[in-house]
Amino acid sequence: MHKLITVIGGTGVQGGSVARALLNNDNYVVRVVTRNTKSEAANSLRAQGAEIVQADLNDASSLQTAFVGSYAIFAATNFFDSFLTVGADESVERESTQGINLAKAAAATPTLQHYIWSTLPNAGRISNGKAFVPHYAGKNRVDDYIKSDPVLLSKTTFLWVSFYVSNMDYPWYKPIPVVGAGPDRYIQLFPGSPSVPLTLVGDARTNIGLFVREILEQPQKTLPGKFVLAATDEMTMAELVSLWASVHGKKADCVQVDRKMYYDMWPMWGQVMDASHIYWDQAKEKTWSGEDTILTRHDLGVIGLIDTATALANMGI
């Protein structure tokens, strides 16, 4: 009998990757939960065989209805949905509320066997209070809620999704041409040290779904309450910029700039993004730590992953 997997945010990067990976597997039936059931992305998934249903993360009862009959649920929230309109503090509150709504609805689903919650490390705890990353903090509150419910925890795998290579397309990361220095010369402006360590997921649109598929296929490893790090590569920011240049036949450098200037160039975005840079620089090899069991691609034997170099080459300039 096919297992029903319900995917939150199936029209976004994470949920879309999960839906596509599972739609190709005869063991599963995929139900995608989205706010807009008539979007182009929703129609595409429907054409591939997904069931599309509407629910609101702010309405726990609508989520409970959407979860009916689910064997497994993939759940993710998006801090940045409301960030530009309400700011960082309120976005933390909204994200934690939505995440707890998801957890409550999952806990109330009698058929549920596996709950996969997309989260991020507890930066405050790992850094001994020295770092605060707003787009981690709301998720961390949800982690604590899940851990407080022994039954739900026994069915939960916590998924850490590391740095998207596609982030290099955002203006605060994208290398820019140096006027007058020739057509092949670029720089990236960065507010921290170019030696800041990064852990990357490679091509997020492909790789996240591959990790989730293995999480579902190997519950003896991923339950109860285990953490999985979705990552393909580790390098510094300077090395990432050099790799970007190499795959495109360019020359590029990561250039450290004053933090105030960086924040002024990209209001709101600069400061919230830099919160994670500061944490990575402080925590270094401990960035993705703080939990008893953390499984990697090697532990789960994840195959078919698209690494950072290939993802960069596929993106273009």
Side-chain angles (χ1 to χ4, degrees), residues 83 172-173 191 259 262-277:
F83 170 61
W172 41 90
Y173 289 126
R259 282 200 149 89
Y262 188 83
Y263 299 168
D264 287 344
M265 281 192 298
W266 292 293
M268 297 183 70
W269 286 107
Q271 191 164 0
V272 77
M273 290 294 101
D274 195 36
S276 53
H277 309 151

PDB file of all heavy atoms in Angstrom, residues 83 172-173 191 259 262-277:
ATOM      1  N   PHE A  83       9.409  39.065   6.706  1.00  0.00           N
ATOM      2  CA  PHE A  83      10.532  39.847   7.238  1.00  0.00           C
ATOM      3  C   PHE A  83      10.528  41.307   6.790  1.00  0.00           C
ATOM      4  O   PHE A  83      10.671  42.226   7.601  1.00  0.00           O
ATOM      5  CB  PHE A  83      11.842  39.159   6.845  1.00  0.00           C
ATOM      6  CG  PHE A  83      13.077  39.962   7.103  1.00  0.00           C
ATOM      7  CD1 PHE A  83      13.415  40.359   8.391  1.00  0.00           C
ATOM      8  CD2 PHE A  83      13.915  40.320   6.051  1.00  0.00           C
ATOM      9  CE1 PHE A  83      14.563  41.111   8.632  1.00  0.00           C
ATOM     10  CE2 PHE A  83      15.060  41.060   6.281  1.00  0.00           C
ATOM     11  CZ  PHE A  83      15.387  41.464   7.575  1.00  0.00           C
ATOM     12  N   TRP A 172      23.433  40.642  -2.097  1.00  0.00           N
ATOM     13  CA  TRP A 172      24.391  40.770  -0.998  1.00  0.00           C
ATOM     14  C   TRP A 172      25.456  39.673  -1.016  1.00  0.00           C
ATOM     15  O   TRP A 172      26.399  39.715  -0.242  1.00  0.00           O
ATOM     16  CB  TRP A 172      23.680  40.796   0.353  1.00  0.00           C
ATOM     17  CG  TRP A 172      22.554  39.823   0.477  1.00  0.00           C
ATOM     18  CD1 TRP A 172      22.611  38.542   0.915  1.00  0.00           C
ATOM     19  CD2 TRP A 172      21.184  40.057   0.134  1.00  0.00           C
ATOM     20  NE1 TRP A 172      21.375  37.952   0.867  1.00  0.00           N
ATOM     21  CE2 TRP A 172      20.473  38.860   0.403  1.00  0.00           C
ATOM     22  CE3 TRP A 172      20.475  41.166  -0.362  1.00  0.00           C
ATOM     23  CZ2 TRP A 172      19.106  38.740   0.183  1.00  0.00           C
ATOM     24  CZ3 TRP A 172      19.123  41.039  -0.577  1.00  0.00           C
ATOM     25  CH2 TRP A 172      18.449  39.844  -0.307  1.00  0.00           C
ATOM     26  N   TYR A 173      25.323  38.690  -1.902  1.00  0.00           N
ATOM     27  CA  TYR A 173      26.356  37.667  -2.079  1.00  0.00           C
ATOM     28  C   TYR A 173      26.950  37.648  -3.491  1.00  0.00           C
ATOM     29  O   TYR A 173      28.064  37.173  -3.685  1.00  0.00           O
ATOM     30  CB  TYR A 173      25.794  36.271  -1.789  1.00  0.00           C
ATOM     31  CG  TYR A 173      25.502  35.990  -0.331  1.00  0.00           C
ATOM     32  CD1 TYR A 173      24.249  35.559   0.090  1.00  0.00           C
ATOM     33  CD2 TYR A 173      26.489  36.149   0.641  1.00  0.00           C
ATOM     34  CE1 TYR A 173      23.983  35.302   1.422  1.00  0.00           C
ATOM     35  CE2 TYR A 173      26.232  35.900   1.973  1.00  0.00           C
ATOM     36  CZ  TYR A 173      24.976  35.475   2.363  1.00  0.00           C
ATOM     37  OH  TYR A 173      24.719  35.226   3.678  1.00  0.00           O
ATOM     38  N   PRO A 191      30.884  41.477   4.781  1.00  0.00           N
ATOM     39  CA  PRO A 191      31.126  42.222   6.012  1.00  0.00           C
ATOM     40  C   PRO A 191      32.001  41.521   7.040  1.00  0.00           C
ATOM     41  O   PRO A 191      32.370  42.115   8.051  1.00  0.00           O
ATOM     42  CB  PRO A 191      29.707  42.415   6.571  1.00  0.00           C
ATOM     43  CG  PRO A 191      28.989  41.185   6.121  1.00  0.00           C
ATOM     44  CD  PRO A 191      29.544  40.882   4.760  1.00  0.00           C
ATOM     45  N   ARG A 259      31.081  46.852   8.273  1.00  0.00           N
ATOM     46  CA  ARG A 259      29.737  46.316   8.505  1.00  0.00           C
ATOM     47  C   ARG A 259      28.659  47.389   8.333  1.00  0.00           C
ATOM     48  O   ARG A 259      27.611  47.132   7.748  1.00  0.00           O
ATOM     49  CB  ARG A 259      29.646  45.694   9.906  1.00  0.00           C
ATOM     50  CG  ARG A 259      30.290  44.327   9.986  1.00  0.00           C
ATOM     51  CD  ARG A 259      29.795  43.512  11.177  1.00  0.00           C
ATOM     52  NE  ARG A 259      29.831  42.103  10.837  1.00  0.00           N
ATOM     53  CZ  ARG A 259      30.888  41.308  11.028  1.00  0.00           C
ATOM     54  NH1 ARG A 259      31.984  41.795  11.572  1.00  0.00           N
ATOM     55  NH2 ARG A 259      30.831  40.041  10.668  1.00  0.00           N
ATOM     56  N   TYR A 262      27.983  47.871   4.746  1.00  0.00           N
ATOM     57  CA  TYR A 262      27.260  46.711   4.212  1.00  0.00           C
ATOM     58  C   TYR A 262      25.780  46.799   4.576  1.00  0.00           C
ATOM     59  O   TYR A 262      24.902  46.573   3.745  1.00  0.00           O
ATOM     60  CB  TYR A 262      27.891  45.440   4.774  1.00  0.00           C
ATOM     61  CG  TYR A 262      27.404  44.142   4.192  1.00  0.00           C
ATOM     62  CD1 TYR A 262      27.919  43.654   2.997  1.00  0.00           C
ATOM     63  CD2 TYR A 262      26.456  43.358   4.858  1.00  0.00           C
ATOM     64  CE1 TYR A 262      27.509  42.437   2.468  1.00  0.00           C
ATOM     65  CE2 TYR A 262      26.034  42.139   4.343  1.00  0.00           C
ATOM     66  CZ  TYR A 262      26.571  41.682   3.149  1.00  0.00           C
ATOM     67  OH  TYR A 262      26.154  40.475   2.634  1.00  0.00           O
ATOM     68  N   TYR A 263      25.497  47.145   5.833  1.00  0.00           N
ATOM     69  CA  TYR A 263      24.102  47.255   6.274  1.00  0.00           C
ATOM     70  C   TYR A 263      23.384  48.388   5.551  1.00  0.00           C
ATOM     71  O   TYR A 263      22.194  48.284   5.227  1.00  0.00           O
ATOM     72  CB  TYR A 263      24.026  47.473   7.779  1.00  0.00           C
ATOM     73  CG  TYR A 263      24.619  46.368   8.632  1.00  0.00           C
ATOM     74  CD1 TYR A 263      24.829  46.573   9.999  1.00  0.00           C
ATOM     75  CD2 TYR A 263      24.973  45.135   8.101  1.00  0.00           C
ATOM     76  CE1 TYR A 263      25.375  45.578  10.801  1.00  0.00           C
ATOM     77  CE2 TYR A 263      25.525  44.138   8.885  1.00  0.00           C
ATOM     78  CZ  TYR A 263      25.727  44.364  10.238  1.00  0.00           C
ATOM     79  OH  TYR A 263      26.279  43.382  11.030  1.00  0.00           O
ATOM     80  N   ASP A 264      24.106  49.486   5.293  1.00  0.00           N
ATOM     81  CA  ASP A 264      23.500  50.617   4.586  1.00  0.00           C
ATOM     82  C   ASP A 264      23.220  50.281   3.124  1.00  0.00           C
ATOM     83  O   ASP A 264      22.244  50.753   2.546  1.00  0.00           O
ATOM     84  CB  ASP A 264      24.420  51.843   4.659  1.00  0.00           C
ATOM     85  CG  ASP A 264      24.449  52.483   6.043  1.00  0.00           C
ATOM     86  OD1 ASP A 264      23.549  52.177   6.853  1.00  0.00           O
ATOM     87  OD2 ASP A 264      25.376  53.270   6.310  1.00  0.00           O
ATOM     88  N   MET A 265      24.091  49.470   2.513  1.00  0.00           N
ATOM     89  CA  MET A 265      23.885  49.082   1.118  1.00  0.00           C
ATOM     90  C   MET A 265      22.644  48.228   0.950  1.00  0.00           C
ATOM     91  O   MET A 265      21.905  48.364  -0.035  1.00  0.00           O
ATOM     92  CB  MET A 265      25.114  48.315   0.596  1.00  0.00           C
ATOM     93  CG  MET A 265      26.275  49.189   0.209  1.00  0.00           C
ATOM     94  SD  MET A 265      27.544  48.263  -0.708  1.00  0.00           S
ATOM     95  CE  MET A 265      28.045  47.050   0.511  1.00  0.00           C
ATOM     96  N   TRP A 266      22.428  47.320   1.914  1.00  0.00           N
ATOM     97  CA  TRP A 266      21.288  46.412   1.827  1.00  0.00           C
ATOM     98  C   TRP A 266      20.487  46.481   3.128  1.00  0.00           C
ATOM     99  O   TRP A 266      20.642  45.622   4.009  1.00  0.00           O
ATOM    100  CB  TRP A 266      21.762  44.982   1.540  1.00  0.00           C
ATOM    101  CG  TRP A 266      22.337  44.873   0.163  1.00  0.00           C
ATOM    102  CD1 TRP A 266      21.653  44.993  -1.023  1.00  0.00           C
ATOM    103  CD2 TRP A 266      23.703  44.670  -0.195  1.00  0.00           C
ATOM    104  NE1 TRP A 266      22.505  44.851  -2.090  1.00  0.00           N
ATOM    105  CE2 TRP A 266      23.769  44.652  -1.615  1.00  0.00           C
ATOM    106  CE3 TRP A 266      24.879  44.490   0.542  1.00  0.00           C
ATOM    107  CZ2 TRP A 266      24.961  44.478  -2.303  1.00  0.00           C
ATOM    108  CZ3 TRP A 266      26.061  44.307  -0.155  1.00  0.00           C
ATOM    109  CH2 TRP A 266      26.098  44.309  -1.555  1.00  0.00           C
ATOM    110  N   PRO A 267      19.652  47.516   3.256  1.00  0.00           N
ATOM    111  CA  PRO A 267      18.882  47.697   4.494  1.00  0.00           C
ATOM    112  C   PRO A 267      18.095  46.434   4.845  1.00  0.00           C
ATOM    113  O   PRO A 267      17.527  45.780   3.984  1.00  0.00           O
ATOM    114  CB  PRO A 267      17.945  48.864   4.149  1.00  0.00           C
ATOM    115  CG  PRO A 267      18.672  49.617   3.073  1.00  0.00           C
ATOM    116  CD  PRO A 267      19.389  48.567   2.265  1.00  0.00           C
ATOM    117  N   MET A 268      18.097  46.117   6.125  1.00  0.00           N
ATOM    118  CA  MET A 268      17.436  44.949   6.706  1.00  0.00           C
ATOM    119  C   MET A 268      18.150  43.667   6.312  1.00  0.00           C
ATOM    120  O   MET A 268      18.605  42.907   7.160  1.00  0.00           O
ATOM    121  CB  MET A 268      15.945  44.883   6.337  1.00  0.00           C
ATOM    122  CG  MET A 268      15.124  46.045   6.870  1.00  0.00           C
ATOM    123  SD  MET A 268      13.358  45.909   6.499  1.00  0.00           S
ATOM    124  CE  MET A 268      12.872  44.540   7.565  1.00  0.00           C
ATOM    125  N   TRP A 269      18.292  43.419   5.021  1.00  0.00           N
ATOM    126  CA  TRP A 269      18.893  42.174   4.559  1.00  0.00           C
ATOM    127  C   TRP A 269      20.343  42.036   5.022  1.00  0.00           C
ATOM    128  O   TRP A 269      20.763  40.963   5.449  1.00  0.00           O
ATOM    129  CB  TRP A 269      18.837  42.085   3.032  1.00  0.00           C
ATOM    130  CG  TRP A 269      17.478  41.804   2.498  1.00  0.00           C
ATOM    131  CD1 TRP A 269      16.654  42.681   1.864  1.00  0.00           C
ATOM    132  CD2 TRP A 269      16.763  40.569   2.565  1.00  0.00           C
ATOM    133  NE1 TRP A 269      15.475  42.074   1.527  1.00  0.00           N
ATOM    134  CE2 TRP A 269      15.519  40.772   1.942  1.00  0.00           C
ATOM    135  CE3 TRP A 269      17.062  39.309   3.102  1.00  0.00           C
ATOM    136  CZ2 TRP A 269      14.563  39.765   1.826  1.00  0.00           C
ATOM    137  CZ3 TRP A 269      16.122  38.307   2.982  1.00  0.00           C
ATOM    138  CH2 TRP A 269      14.890  38.535   2.353  1.00  0.00           C
ATOM    139  N   GLY A 270      21.113  43.105   4.912  1.00  0.00           N
ATOM    140  CA  GLY A 270      22.522  43.037   5.271  1.00  0.00           C
ATOM    141  C   GLY A 270      22.738  42.602   6.702  1.00  0.00           C
ATOM    142  O   GLY A 270      23.571  41.729   6.994  1.00  0.00           O
ATOM    143  N   GLN A 271      21.968  43.177   7.611  1.00  0.00           N
ATOM    144  CA  GLN A 271      22.165  42.877   9.029  1.00  0.00           C
ATOM    145  C   GLN A 271      21.690  41.478   9.393  1.00  0.00           C
ATOM    146  O   GLN A 271      22.360  40.754  10.135  1.00  0.00           O
ATOM    147  CB  GLN A 271      21.443  43.918   9.887  1.00  0.00           C
ATOM    148  CG  GLN A 271      21.808  43.830  11.359  1.00  0.00           C
ATOM    149  CD  GLN A 271      21.414  45.081  12.122  1.00  0.00           C
ATOM    150  OE1 GLN A 271      20.870  46.033  11.557  1.00  0.00           O
ATOM    151  NE2 GLN A 271      21.680  45.087  13.417  1.00  0.00           N
ATOM    152  N   VAL A 272      20.551  41.077   8.871  1.00  0.00           N
ATOM    153  CA  VAL A 272      20.052  39.750   9.238  1.00  0.00           C
ATOM    154  C   VAL A 272      20.912  38.652   8.621  1.00  0.00           C
ATOM    155  O   VAL A 272      21.161  37.607   9.253  1.00  0.00           O
ATOM    156  CB  VAL A 272      18.558  39.595   8.856  1.00  0.00           C
ATOM    157  CG1 VAL A 272      18.362  39.353   7.366  1.00  0.00           C
ATOM    158  CG2 VAL A 272      17.899  38.495   9.666  1.00  0.00           C
ATOM    159  N   MET A 273      21.413  38.862   7.403  1.00  0.00           N
ATOM    160  CA  MET A 273      22.314  37.872   6.812  1.00  0.00           C
ATOM    161  C   MET A 273      23.632  37.811   7.587  1.00  0.00           C
ATOM    162  O   MET A 273      24.196  36.734   7.806  1.00  0.00           O
ATOM    163  CB  MET A 273      22.590  38.213   5.346  1.00  0.00           C
ATOM    164  CG  MET A 273      21.418  38.025   4.412  1.00  0.00           C
ATOM    165  SD  MET A 273      20.916  36.293   4.222  1.00  0.00           S
ATOM    166  CE  MET A 273      19.489  36.242   5.296  1.00  0.00           C
ATOM    167  N   ASP A 274      24.096  38.973   8.009  1.00  0.00           N
ATOM    168  CA  ASP A 274      25.375  39.003   8.715  1.00  0.00           C
ATOM    169  C   ASP A 274      25.294  38.336  10.083  1.00  0.00           C
ATOM    170  O   ASP A 274      26.309  37.890  10.620  1.00  0.00           O
ATOM    171  CB  ASP A 274      25.865  40.448   8.850  1.00  0.00           C
ATOM    172  CG  ASP A 274      27.325  40.532   9.232  1.00  0.00           C
ATOM    173  OD1 ASP A 274      28.112  39.676   8.774  1.00  0.00           O
ATOM    174  OD2 ASP A 274      27.689  41.461   9.987  1.00  0.00           O
ATOM    175  N   ALA A 275      24.107  38.262  10.656  1.00  0.00           N
ATOM    176  CA  ALA A 275      23.966  37.549  11.934  1.00  0.00           C
ATOM    177  C   ALA A 275      24.439  36.108  11.798  1.00  0.00           C
ATOM    178  O   ALA A 275      25.087  35.558  12.703  1.00  0.00           O
ATOM    179  CB  ALA A 275      22.518  37.595  12.408  1.00  0.00           C
ATOM    180  N   SER A 276      24.144  35.489  10.663  1.00  0.00           N
ATOM    181  CA  SER A 276      24.608  34.117  10.459  1.00  0.00           C
ATOM    182  C   SER A 276      26.112  34.082  10.200  1.00  0.00           C
ATOM    183  O   SER A 276      26.806  33.179  10.684  1.00  0.00           O
ATOM    184  CB  SER A 276      23.841  33.442   9.319  1.00  0.00           C
ATOM    185  OG  SER A 276      23.876  34.205   8.142  1.00  0.00           O
ATOM    186  N   HIS A 277      26.648  35.063   9.475  1.00  0.00           N
ATOM    187  CA  HIS A 277      28.102  35.107   9.258  1.00  0.00           C
ATOM    188  C   HIS A 277      28.851  35.192  10.586  1.00  0.00           C
ATOM    189  O   HIS A 277      29.873  34.517  10.792  1.00  0.00           O
ATOM    190  CB  HIS A 277      28.499  36.326   8.416  1.00  0.00           C
ATOM    191  CG  HIS A 277      27.730  36.498   7.150  1.00  0.00           C
ATOM    192  ND1 HIS A 277      27.499  37.739   6.572  1.00  0.00           N
ATOM    193  CD2 HIS A 277      27.119  35.590   6.342  1.00  0.00           C
ATOM    194  CE1 HIS A 277      26.798  37.589   5.468  1.00  0.00           C
ATOM    195  NE2 HIS A 277      26.540  36.294   5.310  1.00  0.00           N
TER     196      HIS A 277
END
